[in-house]
Coordinates of all heavy atoms in Angstrom, one line a residue:
M281 N 143.4 85.9 100.1 CA 142.1 86.0 99.5 C 141.1 85.3 100.5 O 141.5 84.5 101.3 CB 142.1 85.2 98.2 CG 143.2 85.7 97.2 SD 143.1 87.4 96.8 CE 141.8 87.3 95.5
P282 N 139.9 85.6 100.4 CA 138.9 85.0 101.4 C 138.9 83.5 101.4 O 138.6 82.9 102.4 CB 137.6 85.6 101.0 CG 137.9 86.7 100.1 CD 139.2 86.5 99.5
N283 N 139.2 82.9 100.2 CA 139.1 81.4 100.1 C 140.5 80.7 100.0 O 140.5 79.5 99.6 CB 138.3 81.0 98.9 CG 138.8 81.5 97.6 OD1 139.5 82.4 97.6 ND2 138.4 80.8 96.5
G284 N 141.6 81.4 100.3 CA 142.9 80.7 100.2 C 144.0 81.7 100.1 O 143.9 82.9 100.2
V285 N 145.2 81.1 99.9 CA 146.4 81.9 99.9 C 146.9 82.0 98.5 O 147.2 80.9 97.9 CB 147.5 81.4 100.8 CG1 148.8 82.2 100.8 CG2 147.0 81.4 102.3
L286 N 147.0 83.2 97.9 CA 147.5 83.3 96.6 C 148.8 84.0 96.6 O 149.0 85.0 97.2 CB 146.5 84.3 95.8 CG 146.8 84.6 94.4 CD1 146.7 83.4 93.5 CD2 145.7 85.7 93.9
T287 N 149.8 83.4 95.9 CA 151.2 83.9 95.9 C 151.6 84.2 94.5 O 151.4 83.4 93.6 CB 152.1 82.9 96.5 OG1 151.6 82.5 97.8 CG2 153.5 83.4 96.7
S288 N 152.2 85.4 94.3 CA 152.7 85.8 92.9 C 153.8 84.8 92.5 O 154.7 84.4 93.3 CB 153.3 87.2 93.0 OG 152.3 88.1 93.2
P289 N 153.7 84.3 91.3 CA 154.6 83.3 90.8 C 156.0 83.8 90.5 O 156.2 84.9 90.4 CB 153.9 82.7 89.6 CG 153.1 83.8 89.1 CD 152.7 84.6 90.3
N290 N 156.9 82.8 90.2 CA 158.2 83.0 89.8 C 158.2 83.4 88.3 O 157.9 82.5 87.4 CB 159.1 81.8 90.0 CG 160.5 81.9 89.5 OD1 160.9 83.0 89.0 ND2 161.3 80.9 89.7
I291 N 158.4 84.7 88.0 CA 158.4 85.1 86.6 C 159.8 85.3 86.0 O 159.9 86.1 85.1 CB 157.4 86.2 86.2 CG1 157.7 87.5 87.1 CG2 155.9 85.8 86.5 CD1 157.0 88.7 86.6
T292 N 160.8 84.7 86.7 CA 162.1 84.7 86.0 C 162.1 83.6 84.9 O 161.1 82.8 84.9 CB 163.2 84.4 87.0 OG1 163.2 83.0 87.4 CG2 163.1 85.3 88.3
A293 N 163.1 83.6 84.2 CA 163.2 82.7 83.0 C 163.6 81.3 83.3 O 163.9 80.5 82.4 CB 164.1 83.3 81.9
D294 N 163.5 80.9 84.6 CA 163.9 79.5 84.9 C 162.9 78.6 84.2 O 161.7 78.7 84.3 CB 163.8 79.3 86.5 CG 164.3 77.9 86.8 OD1 165.5 77.6 86.6 OD2 163.5 77.1 87.4
I295 N 163.5 77.5 83.6 CA 162.7 76.6 82.8 C 161.7 75.8 83.6 O 160.5 75.6 83.3 CB 163.6 75.6 82.0 CG1 164.5 76.4 81.1 CG2 162.8 74.5 81.3 CD1 164.0 76.7 79.8
E296 N 162.2 75.3 84.8 CA 161.3 74.4 85.6 C 160.4 75.1 86.5 O 159.2 74.7 86.7 CB 162.2 73.5 86.4 CG 162.8 72.3 85.6 CD 164.1 71.9 86.2 OE1 164.3 72.0 87.4 OE2 164.9 71.3 85.5
T297 N 160.9 76.2 87.2 CA 160.0 76.8 88.2 C 159.5 78.2 87.8 O 158.7 78.8 88.5 CB 160.8 76.9 89.5 OG1 161.9 77.8 89.3 CG2 161.4 75.6 89.9
G298 N 160.0 78.7 86.7 CA 159.6 80.1 86.3 C 158.8 80.0 85.0 O 158.2 79.0 84.7
I299 N 159.0 81.1 84.2 CA 158.3 81.1 82.9 C 159.2 80.9 81.7 O 158.9 81.3 80.6 CB 157.5 82.5 82.7 CG1 158.4 83.7 82.8 CG2 156.4 82.5 83.8 CD1 157.7 85.0 82.3
G300 N 160.3 80.2 81.9 CA 161.3 79.9 80.9 C 160.8 79.2 79.7 O 161.3 79.3 78.6
K301 N 159.7 78.4 79.9 CA 159.1 77.6 78.7 C 158.2 78.5 77.9 O 157.8 78.1 76.8 CB 158.4 76.4 79.2 CG 159.3 75.3 79.6 CD 158.4 74.0 79.9 CE 159.2 73.0 80.7 NZ 158.4 72.4 81.8
M302 N 157.8 79.7 78.4 CA 156.9 80.5 77.7 C 157.7 81.4 76.7 O 158.5 82.2 77.1 CB 156.2 81.4 78.7 CG 154.8 81.9 78.3 SD 154.2 83.2 79.5 CE 153.7 82.2 80.9
G303 N 157.5 81.1 75.4 CA 158.2 81.9 74.4 C 157.6 83.3 74.3 O 156.5 83.6 74.9
R304 N 158.2 84.2 73.5 CA 157.7 85.6 73.4 C 156.3 85.7 72.9 O 155.5 86.4 73.4 CB 158.7 86.4 72.4 CG 158.3 87.8 72.3 CD 159.4 88.6 71.6 NE 159.6 88.1 70.2 CZ 158.9 88.4 69.2 NH1 157.9 89.3 69.3 NH2 159.1 87.8 68.0
E305 N 156.0 84.8 71.9 CA 154.6 84.9 71.3 C 153.6 84.4 72.3 O 152.5 84.9 72.4 CB 154.5 84.0 70.0 CG 155.2 84.6 68.9 CD 154.7 86.0 68.5 OE1 153.5 86.2 68.5 OE2 155.6 86.9 68.2
D306 N 154.0 83.3 73.1 CA 153.1 82.8 74.1 C 152.8 83.8 75.2 O 151.7 84.0 75.7 CB 153.7 81.6 74.8 CG 154.0 80.4 73.9 OD1 153.2 80.3 72.9 OD2 155.0 79.7 74.1
F307 N 153.9 84.6 75.5 CA 153.8 85.6 76.6 C 152.8 86.7 76.1 O 151.9 87.0 76.9 CB 155.2 86.2 76.8 CG 155.3 87.2 77.9 CD1 155.5 86.8 79.2 CD2 155.2 88.6 77.6 CE1 155.6 87.7 80.3 CE2 155.4 89.5 78.6 CZ 155.5 89.1 79.9
I308 N 153.0 87.1 74.9 CA 152.1 88.2 74.4 C 150.6 87.6 74.3 O 149.7 88.3 74.7 CB 152.5 88.7 73.0 CG1 153.9 89.4 73.1 CG2 151.5 89.5 72.3 CD1 154.6 89.7 71.9
K309 N 150.5 86.4 73.8 CA 149.1 85.8 73.7 C 148.4 85.7 75.0 O 147.2 85.9 75.2 CB 149.2 84.4 73.0 CG 149.1 84.4 71.5 CD 148.8 83.0 71.0 CE 149.2 82.9 69.6 NZ 150.0 81.7 69.3
R310 N 149.2 85.3 76.0 CA 148.7 85.1 77.4 C 148.0 86.4 77.8 O 146.9 86.4 78.4 CB 149.8 84.7 78.3 CG 149.4 84.5 79.7 CD 148.7 83.2 80.0 NE 148.1 83.1 81.3 CZ 148.8 82.6 82.3 NH1 150.0 82.0 82.2 NH2 148.2 82.6 83.5
F311 N 148.7 87.5 77.6 CA 148.2 88.8 78.1 C 147.0 89.2 77.2 O 146.0 89.6 77.7 CB 149.2 89.9 78.0 CG 150.2 89.9 79.2 CD1 151.3 89.0 79.2 CD2 150.0 90.7 80.3 CE1 152.1 88.9 80.4 CE2 150.8 90.7 81.4 CZ 151.9 89.8 81.5
K312 N 147.2 89.1 75.9 CA 146.1 89.5 75.0 C 144.8 88.7 75.1 O 143.8 89.1 74.8 CB 146.6 89.5 73.5 CG 147.8 90.4 73.2 CD 147.3 91.8 72.9 CE 148.4 92.7 72.5 NZ 147.9 94.1 72.5
G313 N 145.0 87.5 75.6 CA 143.9 86.6 75.8 C 142.9 87.1 76.8 O 141.8 86.6 76.9
Y314 N 143.3 88.1 77.6 CA 142.3 88.7 78.6 C 141.7 90.0 78.1 O 141.1 90.7 78.9 CB 143.1 88.9 79.9 CG 143.5 87.6 80.6 CD1 144.7 87.1 80.3 CD2 142.7 87.0 81.5 CE1 145.2 85.9 81.0 CE2 143.0 85.8 82.1 CZ 144.3 85.3 81.9 OH 144.7 84.1 82.5
D315 N 141.8 90.2 76.9 CA 141.1 91.5 76.3 C 139.7 91.4 76.7 O 138.9 90.5 76.3 CB 141.3 91.5 74.8 CG 140.7 92.7 74.1 OD1 139.9 93.4 74.8 OD2 140.9 92.9 73.0
P316 N 139.2 92.4 77.5 CA 137.8 92.4 78.0 C 136.8 92.4 76.9 O 135.7 91.9 77.1 CB 137.7 93.7 78.8 CG 139.1 94.3 78.9 CD 140.0 93.6 78.0
A317 N 137.2 92.8 75.7 CA 136.2 92.7 74.6 C 135.8 91.2 74.2 O 134.8 91.0 73.7 CB 136.7 93.4 73.4
A318 N 136.7 90.3 74.5 CA 136.5 88.9 74.1 C 136.6 87.9 75.3 O 136.0 86.8 75.2 CB 137.6 88.5 73.1
Y319 N 137.1 88.3 76.4 CA 137.3 87.4 77.5 C 136.1 87.3 78.4 O 135.6 88.3 78.9 CB 138.5 87.9 78.4 CG 138.8 87.1 79.6 CD1 139.2 85.8 79.5 CD2 138.6 87.7 80.8 CE1 139.4 85.0 80.7 CE2 138.9 87.0 82.0 CZ 139.2 85.7 81.9 OH 139.5 84.9 83.0
N320 N 135.7 86.1 78.6 CA 134.6 85.8 79.5 C 135.2 85.2 80.8 O 135.6 84.1 80.7 CB 133.5 84.9 79.0 CG 132.7 85.6 77.9 OD1 132.2 86.8 78.2 ND2 132.5 85.0 76.8
A321 N 135.1 85.9 81.9 CA 135.8 85.4 83.1 C 135.0 84.1 83.5 O 133.7 84.1 83.5 CB 135.7 86.4 84.3
P322 N 135.6 83.0 83.8 CA 134.9 81.8 84.2 C 134.3 82.0 85.6 O 134.8 82.7 86.4 CB 136.0 80.7 84.3 CG 137.3 81.5 84.5 CD 137.1 82.8 83.9
K323 N 133.2 81.2 85.8 CA 132.6 81.2 87.1 C 133.5 80.4 88.1 O 133.8 79.3 87.7 CB 131.2 80.5 87.0 CG 130.1 81.5 86.8 CD 128.9 81.1 87.7 CE 127.8 82.1 87.9 NZ 128.1 83.4 87.6
L324 N 133.9 80.9 89.2 CA 134.8 80.2 90.1 C 134.0 79.5 91.2 O 133.1 80.0 91.7 CB 135.8 81.2 90.7 CG 136.7 81.8 89.7 CD1 137.7 82.8 90.4 CD2 137.5 80.9 88.9
G325 N 134.5 78.3 91.5 CA 134.0 77.6 92.6 C 134.7 78.0 93.9 O 135.6 78.8 93.8
R326 N 134.2 77.5 95.0 CA 134.8 77.9 96.3 C 136.3 77.7 96.4 O 137.0 78.4 97.1 CB 134.0 77.2 97.4 CG 134.1 77.8 98.8 CD 133.2 77.2 99.8 NE 133.4 75.7 99.9 CZ 134.3 75.2 100.7 NH1 135.1 75.9 101.4 NH2 134.4 73.8 100.7
K327 N 136.7 76.6 95.8 CA 138.1 76.2 95.9 C 139.0 76.7 94.8 O 140.2 76.4 94.8 CB 138.3 74.7 96.1 CG 137.6 74.2 97.3 CD 138.4 73.0 97.9 CE 137.9 72.9 99.4 NZ 138.7 71.9 100.1
D328 N 138.4 77.3 93.8 CA 139.2 77.8 92.6 C 140.0 79.0 92.9 O 139.7 79.8 93.8 CB 138.2 78.1 91.5 CG 137.5 76.9 90.9 OD1 138.1 75.8 91.1 OD2 136.4 77.0 90.4
M329 N 141.1 79.1 92.2 CA 142.1 80.2 92.3 C 141.5 81.5 91.7 O 141.2 81.6 90.5 CB 143.4 79.9 91.6 CG 144.4 81.0 91.8 SD 145.9 80.8 90.9 CE 145.4 81.3 89.2
P330 N 141.3 82.5 92.5 CA 140.9 83.8 92.0 C 142.3 84.5 91.6 O 143.3 84.0 92.1 CB 140.3 84.6 93.1 CG 140.8 84.0 94.3 CD 141.4 82.6 94.0
T331 N 142.3 85.5 90.8 CA 143.6 86.2 90.6 C 143.5 87.6 90.9 O 142.5 88.3 90.7 CB 144.2 85.9 89.2 OG1 145.5 86.5 89.1 CG2 143.3 86.5 88.1
I332 N 144.6 88.2 91.4 CA 144.7 89.6 91.6 C 145.5 90.3 90.5 O 145.7 91.5 90.5 CB 145.2 90.1 93.0 CG1 146.5 89.4 93.3 CG2 144.1 89.9 94.0 CD1 147.2 89.9 94.5
M333 N 146.1 89.4 89.7 CA 146.9 89.9 88.6 C 146.0 90.7 87.6 O 144.9 90.2 87.2 CB 147.6 88.7 87.8 CG 148.1 89.0 86.5 SD 149.8 89.5 86.5 CE 150.1 89.8 84.8
P334 N 146.2 92.0 87.4 CA 145.3 92.8 86.6 C 145.3 92.4 85.1 O 145.6 93.3 84.3 CB 145.7 94.2 86.9 CG 147.1 94.2 87.4 CD 147.3 92.8 87.9
W335 N 145.0 91.2 84.8 CA 145.1 90.7 83.4 C 144.3 91.5 82.4 O 144.8 91.8 81.3 CB 144.7 89.2 83.3 CG 145.6 88.2 83.9 CD1 145.3 87.5 85.1 CD2 146.9 87.8 83.5 NE1 146.3 86.6 85.3 CE2 147.3 86.8 84.4 CE3 147.6 88.1 82.4 CZ2 148.5 86.1 84.2 CZ3 148.8 87.4 82.2 CH2 149.3 86.5 83.1
T336 N 143.1 91.8 82.7 CA 142.3 92.5 81.7 C 142.8 93.9 81.5 O 142.6 94.4 80.3 CB 140.8 92.5 82.2 OG1 140.7 93.0 83.5 CG2 140.1 91.2 82.1
M337 N 143.4 94.5 82.5 CA 144.0 95.9 82.2 C 145.2 95.7 81.4 O 145.4 96.5 80.4 CB 144.3 96.6 83.6 CG 143.1 97.0 84.3 SD 143.8 97.8 85.8 CE 142.4 97.7 86.9
Y338 N 146.0 94.8 81.7 CA 147.3 94.6 81.0 C 147.1 94.1 79.6 O 147.9 94.3 78.7 CB 148.2 93.7 81.7 CG 148.8 94.2 83.0 CD1 149.5 93.3 83.9 CD2 148.7 95.5 83.4 CE1 150.1 93.8 85.1 CE2 149.2 96.0 84.5 CZ 149.9 95.1 85.4 OH 150.4 95.6 86.6
A339 N 145.9 93.6 79.3 CA 145.6 93.1 77.9 C 145.6 94.2 76.9 O 145.8 94.0 75.7 CB 144.3 92.4 77.9
G340 N 145.5 95.5 77.4 CA 145.4 96.6 76.6 C 146.9 97.1 76.2 O 147.0 98.0 75.3
M341 N 147.9 96.4 76.7 CA 149.2 96.8 76.3 C 149.5 96.5 74.9 O 149.0 95.5 74.4 CB 150.3 96.1 77.2 CG 150.4 96.8 78.5 SD 151.9 96.2 79.4 CE 151.3 95.0 80.4
E342 N 150.3 97.3 74.2 CA 150.7 97.0 72.8 C 151.7 95.9 72.8 O 152.5 95.7 73.8 CB 151.3 98.2 72.2 CG 150.2 99.3 72.0 CD 150.8 100.6 71.3 OE1 151.9 100.5 70.7 OE2 150.2 101.6 71.5
S343 N 151.7 95.1 71.7 CA 152.7 94.0 71.6 C 154.1 94.5 71.8 O 154.9 93.7 72.4 CB 152.5 93.3 70.3 OG 151.3 92.8 70.1
K344 N 154.4 95.7 71.3 CA 155.8 96.1 71.5 C 156.2 96.3 73.0 O 157.3 96.1 73.4 CB 156.1 97.4 70.6 CG 155.4 98.7 71.1 CD 156.0 99.8 70.2 CE 155.3 101.1 70.3 NZ 154.9 101.6 71.6
D345 N 155.2 96.8 73.8 CA 155.5 97.0 75.2 C 155.5 95.6 75.9 O 156.4 95.4 76.8 CB 154.4 97.9 75.8 CG 154.4 99.3 75.2 OD1 155.5 99.7 75.0 OD2 153.4 99.9 75.0
L346 N 154.7 94.7 75.5 CA 154.7 93.4 76.1 C 156.1 92.7 75.7 O 156.7 92.0 76.6 CB 153.6 92.5 75.7 CG 152.2 92.9 76.3 CD1 151.0 92.3 75.6 CD2 152.2 92.6 77.8
T347 N 156.5 92.9 74.5 CA 157.8 92.4 74.1 C 158.9 93.0 74.9 O 159.9 92.3 75.3 CB 158.1 92.7 72.6 OG1 157.0 92.0 71.8 CG2 159.4 92.2 72.1
A348 N 158.8 94.3 75.2 CA 159.9 94.9 76.0 C 159.9 94.3 77.4 O 161.0 94.1 78.0 CB 159.6 96.4 76.1
I349 N 158.7 94.0 78.0 CA 158.6 93.4 79.3 C 159.3 92.0 79.3 O 160.1 91.6 80.1 CB 157.2 93.3 79.8 CG1 156.7 94.8 80.1 CG2 157.1 92.5 81.1 CD1 155.2 94.9 80.5
Y350 N 158.9 91.2 78.3 CA 159.4 89.9 78.1 C 160.9 89.9 78.0 O 161.6 89.2 78.6 CB 158.8 89.3 76.8 CG 159.3 87.9 76.5 CD1 158.8 86.8 77.1 CD2 160.4 87.7 75.6 CE1 159.3 85.5 76.8 CE2 160.9 86.5 75.3 CZ 160.3 85.4 75.9 OH 160.8 84.1 75.7
T351 N 161.4 90.9 77.2 CA 162.9 91.0 77.0 C 163.6 91.4 78.3 O 164.6 90.8 78.6 CB 163.2 92.0 75.9 OG1 162.5 91.7 74.7 CG2 164.7 92.1 75.5
Y352 N 162.9 92.3 79.0 CA 163.5 92.7 80.3 C 163.6 91.5 81.3 O 164.6 91.2 81.9 CB 162.7 93.8 80.9 CG 163.1 94.1 82.3 CD1 164.3 94.6 82.7 CD2 162.2 93.7 83.4 CE1 164.7 94.8 84.0 CE2 162.6 93.9 84.7 CZ 163.8 94.5 85.0 OH 164.2 94.7 86.3
L353 N 162.4 90.7 81.3 CA 162.4 89.6 82.2 C 163.5 88.6 81.9 O 164.1 88.0 82.8 CB 161.0 88.9 82.2 CG 159.9 89.7 82.9 CD1 158.5 89.0 82.7 CD2 160.2 90.0 84.4
H354 N 163.7 88.4 80.6 CA 164.7 87.5 80.1 C 166.2 88.0 80.3 O 167.1 87.3 80.2 CB 164.5 87.0 78.7 CG 163.5 85.9 78.7 ND1 163.8 84.6 78.5 CD2 162.2 85.9 78.9 CE1 162.8 83.8 78.6 NE2 161.7 84.6 78.8
S355 N 166.3 89.3 80.6 CA 167.6 89.9 80.8 C 168.1 89.6 82.3 O 169.2 89.9 82.6 CB 167.6 91.3 80.5 OG 167.0 92.1 81.5
L356 N 167.1 89.2 83.1 CA 167.4 89.0 84.5 C 167.9 87.5 84.8 O 167.5 86.7 84.0 CB 166.2 89.3 85.4 CG 165.6 90.7 85.2 CD1 164.3 90.8 86.0 CD2 166.6 91.8 85.7
P357 N 168.6 87.3 85.8 CA 169.0 85.9 86.1 C 167.8 85.0 86.3 O 166.9 85.5 87.1 CB 169.9 86.0 87.3 CG 170.2 87.5 87.6 CD 169.1 88.2 86.8
A358 N 167.8 83.8 85.8 CA 166.8 82.9 86.1 C 167.0 82.3 87.5 O 168.1 82.0 87.8 CB 166.8 81.7 85.0
K359 N 165.9 82.3 88.2 CA 166.0 81.9 89.6 C 165.2 80.6 89.8 O 164.0 80.6 89.4 CB 165.4 82.9 90.6 CG 166.3 84.2 90.7 CD 167.5 84.0 91.5 CE 168.3 85.3 91.6 NZ 169.6 85.1 92.1
K360 N 165.8 79.6 90.4 CA 165.1 78.4 90.7 C 164.3 78.6 92.0 O 164.9 78.9 93.0 CB 166.0 77.2 90.8 CG 165.5 75.9 90.4 CD 166.4 74.8 90.1 CE 166.9 74.8 88.7 NZ 166.0 74.7 87.6
N361 N 163.0 78.7 91.9 CA 162.2 79.0 93.1 C 160.8 78.5 92.9 O 160.0 79.0 92.1 CB 162.2 80.5 93.3 CG 161.4 80.9 94.6 OD1 161.3 80.1 95.5 ND2 160.8 82.1 94.6
V362 N 160.5 77.4 93.5 CA 159.2 76.8 93.4 C 158.2 77.6 94.2 O 158.5 77.9 95.4 CB 159.2 75.3 93.9 CG1 157.8 74.7 93.8 CG2 160.2 74.5 93.1
V363 N 157.2 78.1 93.5 CA 156.1 78.8 94.2 C 154.8 78.1 94.1 O 154.4 77.7 93.0 CB 156.0 80.2 93.6 CG1 154.8 81.0 94.2 CG2 157.3 81.1 93.8
V364 N 154.2 77.9 95.2 CA 152.8 77.3 95.1 C 151.9 78.5 95.0 O 151.8 79.3 95.9 CB 152.5 76.5 96.4 CG1 151.1 75.9 96.4 CG2 153.5 75.3 96.6
K365 N 151.3 78.6 93.8 CA 150.5 79.8 93.5 C 149.3 79.9 94.4 O 148.8 80.9 94.8 CB 150.0 79.8 92.0 CG 151.0 80.4 91.0 CD 150.4 80.7 89.7 CE 149.9 79.6 88.9 NZ 149.8 80.0 87.4
W366 N 148.7 78.7 94.6 CA 147.3 78.7 95.2 C 147.2 77.6 96.2 O 147.3 76.4 95.9 CB 146.3 78.6 94.0 CG 144.9 78.5 94.6 CD1 144.0 77.5 94.3 CD2 144.2 79.4 95.4 NE1 142.8 77.7 94.9 CE2 142.9 79.0 95.6 CE3 144.5 80.7 95.9 CZ2 141.9 79.6 96.3 CZ3 143.6 81.3 96.7 CH2 142.3 80.8 96.9
K367 N 146.8 78.0 97.4 CA 146.5 77.1 98.5 C 145.1 77.4 99.0 O 144.9 78.3 99.7 CB 147.5 77.2 99.6 CG 148.8 76.5 99.4 CD 149.6 76.5 100.7 CE 151.1 76.6 100.4 NZ 151.8 77.4 101.4
P368 N 144.1 76.6 98.5 CA 142.7 76.9 99.0 C 142.6 76.6 100.5 O 143.3 75.7 101.0 CB 141.8 76.0 98.1 CG 142.7 75.0 97.6 CD 144.2 75.5 97.6
L369 N 141.8 77.3 101.2 CA 141.5 77.0 102.5 C 140.7 75.7 102.6 O 139.9 75.4 101.7 CB 140.7 78.1 103.2 CG 141.3 79.5 103.4 CD1 140.4 80.5 104.0 CD2 142.6 79.3 104.2
Q370 N 141.0 74.9 103.6 CA 140.3 73.6 103.7 C 138.8 73.8 103.9 O 138.3 74.7 104.5 CB 140.9 72.8 104.8 CG 142.3 72.4 104.5 CD 142.5 71.8 103.1 OE1 141.8 70.9 102.6 NE2 143.4 72.4 102.3
Ligands
LIG678 C1 153.9 94.3 84.3 C2 153.7 93.7 85.5 C3 153.5 92.2 85.6 C4 153.9 91.2 84.8 C5 154.9 91.2 83.6 C6 153.4 90.0 85.3 C7 153.6 88.7 84.8 C8 152.9 87.6 85.1 C9 152.9 86.3 84.4 C10 153.6 86.0 83.1 C11 152.1 85.5 85.1 C12 151.8 84.0 84.7 C13 152.8 83.1 85.4 C14 152.5 81.6 85.1 O1 151.7 81.3 84.2 O2 153.2 80.8 85.8 C15 151.6 86.2 86.3 C16 150.7 85.6 87.2 C17 150.4 86.3 88.4 N1 150.6 87.6 88.7 FE1 151.5 88.9 87.5 N2 152.6 90.2 86.4 C18 152.6 91.6 86.6 C19 151.9 92.3 87.6 C20 151.3 91.7 88.6 C21 150.6 92.5 89.7 C22 150.5 94.0 89.8 C23 150.1 91.5 90.5 C24 149.3 91.7 91.8 C25 149.1 92.8 92.4 C26 150.4 90.2 90.0 C27 150.0 89.0 90.6 C28 150.1 87.8 89.9 C29 149.5 86.6 90.5 C30 148.9 86.4 91.8 C31 149.6 85.6 89.5 C32 149.3 84.1 89.6 C33 147.8 83.9 89.3 C34 147.5 84.0 87.8 O3 148.2 83.3 87.0 O4 146.7 84.8 87.4 N3 151.1 90.4 88.8 N4 152.1 87.4 86.3

């Protein structure tokens, strides 16, 4: 990104380094929270993390589809892999 390095996070079910602590309801809420009808994108400062994850588009997914994605992710082996999501440029 113009202001830093953005890396896609570990979305395996690892508790410490992945999304293992995020329950099914939290997973669905996280996506639905970006519904463009209600979501106001925050104003970002120069060092803030922008995202390329298409959250507002994915917010339109139905809960049953998000549940299917969640179930799929949890069917895969959990991988311990620390990812630094955001490194702003100095
Ligand atoms: C169905 C497909 C996808 C799923 C299920 C998914 C899932 C997720 C989840 C659950 C997070 C939050 C992780 C956390 O809080 O630690 C996340 C973050 C992220 N995703 Fe995705 N993702 C998908 C597609 C994509 C795509 C297409 C891109 C980029 C082209 C992307 C880039 C990112 C990035 C950069 C982040 C970290 C920044 C942020 O939290 O917004 N993802 N993704």
Side-chain angles (χ1 to χ4, degrees):
M281 307 299 278
N283 62 336
V285 178
L286 178 65
T287 306
S288 292
N290 176 1
I291 58 168
T292 73
D294 186 63
I295 300 277
E296 282 152 27
T297 66
I299 60 165
K301 281 192 199 134
M302 206 188 281
R304 185 171 56 86
E305 289 303 316
D306 299 328
F307 185 84
I308 293 171
K309 267 197 206 132
R310 177 78 188 269
F311 281 82
K312 297 277 187 192
Y314 292 91
D315 179 346
Y319 175 67
N320 285 313
K323 265 224 169 336
L324 297 180
R326 198 171 56 86
K327 297 217 160 187
D328 293 334
M329 181 186 81
T331 185
I332 50 165
M333 164 91 181
W335 288 111
T336 50
M337 289 184 202
Y338 289 170
M341 278 194 265
E342 291 179 23
S343 296
K344 70 172 168 46
D345 295 324
L346 288 166
T347 297
I349 293 173
Y350 177 84
T351 306
Y352 170 68
L353 291 174
H354 277 259
S355 76
L356 302 175
K359 293 281 181 196
K360 209 160 274 309
N361 181 28
V362 177
V363 174
V364 178
K365 273 201 289 201
W366 176 238
K367 280 189 215 147
L369 294 179
Q370 291 315 305

